[in-house]
């Protein structure tokens, strides 16, 4: 039975990855320090003999007994308000944590896939963003702690590939949504759903003309799975190129939730908030034969079912 270590296992993406790899017949070792993760996301896996869990901070030395075939590094605070609250931990998990896991991969002769991000493109001057674009990042702005940790992560991962011949994969993840997102994580989709369900104002930052492109979690997980099994070691964008302004996105959530008390209110735009974001997914299409299958209407319906249960 192949064995995979998944860091950030109790988080939104990590928990969906644990489910997927167990379904594929692998033995899954989940790891999380629970600073943003939630055990409820993986509680259903504990009775499964193919699953084990370590409560550990990967920015400290990582020890895993036995063999490992794969490592997926998904541990990190991932929402802008989280990295404002935990700037040092964000920097450490992307840098020291990545270094520890690359070392573990080398020791175990495992293939490692690291979760990078569209944030490496910063506030992009090119739209959509192809992998060749080097980005427009403010290293000392509030988002710099996340962006620069992830850029360092990519550099370190490529160095282990080039210098040690390690089998590495780098995925650049664009905005992703679905069940198990944290209600209070501050990101736009949990914010809008919880505000709409409670009949409050949907907090649109700035005039809402900034754009994002939202990918449903099942599509992302499929892309991660295919990239891991491919032989492509350069960074690859995975995301849904269907771009929408934040104000139009607020209207879609209002229409779906249909709470007459809910409405739009405007708040200040955060510093360095990217004005546009949309993946160029030519590489994913050509190299993996991957493209997203679930459109926003369907994805939002599924996600609404989840938020109905968890929003109080
Ligand atoms: N946003 C918003 N209202 C909120 C939260 C976010 O208008 O309550 C905006 C934010 O300014 C950004 C976009 O929605 O332009 C996406 O923000 P998010 O925090 O989800 O992630 P980002 O894509 O910026 O990393």
């Amino acid at each position: 039975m192949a064995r995979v270590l998944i860091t950030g296992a109790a988080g939104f993406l990590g928990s969906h990855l644990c489910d997927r790899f167990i379904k594929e017949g692998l033995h899954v070792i989940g790891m999380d320090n629970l600073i943003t993760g939630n055990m409820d996301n993986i509680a259903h896996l504990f009775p499964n003999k193919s699953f084990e869990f370590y409560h550990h901070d990967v920015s400290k030395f990582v020890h895993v007994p036995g063999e490992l075939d794969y490592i997926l590094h998904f541990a990190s605070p991932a929402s802008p308000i989280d990295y404002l609250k935990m700037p040092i931990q964000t920097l450490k998990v992307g840098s020291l944590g990545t270094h520890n896991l690359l070392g573990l991969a080398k020791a175990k002769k495992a293939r490692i896939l690291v979760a990078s991000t569209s944030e490496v493109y910063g506030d992009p001057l090119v739209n959509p963003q192809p992998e060749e674009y080097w980005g427009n990042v403010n290293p000392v702005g509030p988002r710099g702690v996340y962006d620069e940790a992830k850029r360092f992560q990519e550099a370190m991962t490529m160095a282990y590939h080039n210098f040690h011949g390690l089998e590495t994969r780098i995925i650049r993840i664009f905005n992703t949504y679905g069940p198990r997102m944290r209600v209070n994580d501050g990101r736009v989709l949990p914010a809008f759903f919880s505000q709409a369900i409670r009949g409050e104002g949907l907090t649109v930052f700035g005039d809402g003309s900034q754009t994002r492109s939202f990918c449903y979690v099942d599509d992302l997980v499929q892309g991660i799975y295919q990239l891991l099994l491919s032989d492509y070691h350069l960074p690859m964008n995975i995301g849904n190129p269907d771009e929408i302004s934040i104000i139009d996105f607020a209207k879609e959530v209002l229409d779906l939730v249909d709470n007459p008390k809910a409405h739009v209110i405007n708040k200040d735009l955060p510093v360095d908030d990217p004005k546009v974001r949309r993946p160029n997914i030519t590489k994913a299409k050509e190299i993996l034969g991957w493209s997203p299958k679930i459109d926003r209407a369907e994805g939002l319906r599924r996600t609404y079912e989840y938020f109905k249960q968890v929003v109080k």
Side-chain angles (χ1 to χ4, degrees):
M1 196 185 234
R3 288 160 55 88
V4 56
L5 169 68
I6 300 178
T7 75
F12 165 49
L13 295 181
S15 66
H16 283 282
L17 287 167
C18 290
D19 286 344
R20 175 64 188 260
F21 280 86
I22 283 188
K23 213 165 124 201
E24 297 291 341
L26 279 83
H27 183 86
V28 173
I29 299 157
M31 192 171 277
D32 205 300
N33 68 351
L34 301 174
I35 60 169
T36 59
N38 179 355
M39 289 300 269
D40 291 347
N41 290 338
I42 48 172
H44 62 284
L45 293 174
F46 277 79
N48 196 320
K49 285 199 179 57
S50 302
F51 182 73
E52 56 188 304
F53 180 75
Y54 289 89
H55 185 184
H56 181 69
D57 175 357
V58 298
S59 62
K60 311 257 163 55
F61 184 84
V62 181
H63 172 71
V64 175
E67 293 182 7
L68 279 180
D69 300 279
Y70 303 107
I71 297 174
L72 281 82
H73 182 25
F74 278 73
S76 179
S79 96
I81 60 162
D82 284 343
Y83 16 110
L84 279 179
K85 277 190 280 185
M86 294 173 268
I88 315 275
Q89 282 128 310
T90 302
L91 277 160
K92 284 170 77 174
V93 71
S95 56
L96 307 181
T98 299
H99 187 210
N100 288 335
L101 293 162
L102 288 164
L104 182 68
K106 181 167 154 268
K108 302 277 185 188
K109 299 187 173 53
R111 179 180 297 181
I112 180 167
L113 181 148
V114 297
S116 187
T117 167
S118 54
E119 283 283 325
V120 300
Y121 303 122
D123 186 4
L125 306 176
V126 172
N127 194 43
Q129 296 82 51
E131 289 85 349
E132 290 75 20
Y133 179 52
W134 291 351
N136 178 37
V137 171
N138 174 3
V140 295
R143 304 172 83 107
V145 294
Y146 184 68
D147 302 8
E148 295 297 0
K150 293 292 190 179
R151 289 169 69 97
F152 174 89
Q153 173 186 66
E154 290 196 5
M156 190 63 137
T157 302
M158 287 305 295
Y160 267 70
H161 174 81
N162 291 326
F163 190 76
H164 291 304
L166 194 69
E167 287 193 41
T168 57
R169 307 287 179 267
I170 300 172
I171 179 176
R172 291 188 181 148
I173 299 171
F174 285 65
N175 295 66
T176 301
Y177 69 99
R180 301 186 193 157
M181 287 187 97
R182 226 169 71 230
V183 175
N184 297 320
D185 89 347
R187 279 188 281 189
V188 67
L189 186 135
F192 285 178
F193 265 112
S194 49
Q195 291 156 346
I197 291 169
R198 292 177 187 138
E200 299 168 352
L202 274 64
T203 50
V204 170
F205 296 165
D207 63 5
S209 62
Q210 70 274 28
T211 68
R212 294 294 184 273
S213 307
F214 297 98
C215 183
Y216 189 68
V217 62
D218 290 3
D219 282 330
L220 183 87
V221 165
Q222 179 61 25
I224 293 166
Y225 188 72
Q226 285 184 237
L227 178 61
L228 179 70
L229 298 186
S230 78
D231 57 9
Y232 190 75
H233 73 276
L234 294 172
M236 184 179 285
N237 291 340
I238 298 282
N240 188 322
D242 187 2
E243 185 177 10
I244 184 172
S245 70
I246 294 302
I247 184 68
D248 286 344
F249 186 60
K251 289 176 189 155
E252 286 191 355
V253 174
L254 283 176
D255 283 347
L256 178 63
V257 175
D258 198 23
N259 182 339
K261 287 203 206 128
H263 56 284
V264 165
I265 58 171
N266 290 93
K267 292 232 169 158
D268 288 345
L269 191 66
V271 175
D272 294 338
D273 197 286
K275 286 179 269 309
V276 291
R277 183 182 290 153
R278 174 185 182 177
N280 176 324
I281 57 167
T282 308
K283 283 200 171 55
K285 280 184 177 158
E286 287 178 357
I287 296 166
L288 306 179
W290 176 90
S291 59
K293 299 286 177 286
I294 296 161
D295 66 14
R296 205 169 47 246
E298 174 59 19
L300 288 183
R301 271 194 296 276
R302 294 189 195 181
T303 307
Y304 180 33
E305 292 307 312
Y306 173 76
F307 278 105
K308 269 194 227 170
Q309 314 283 322
V310 292
V311 172
K312 300 282 180 288

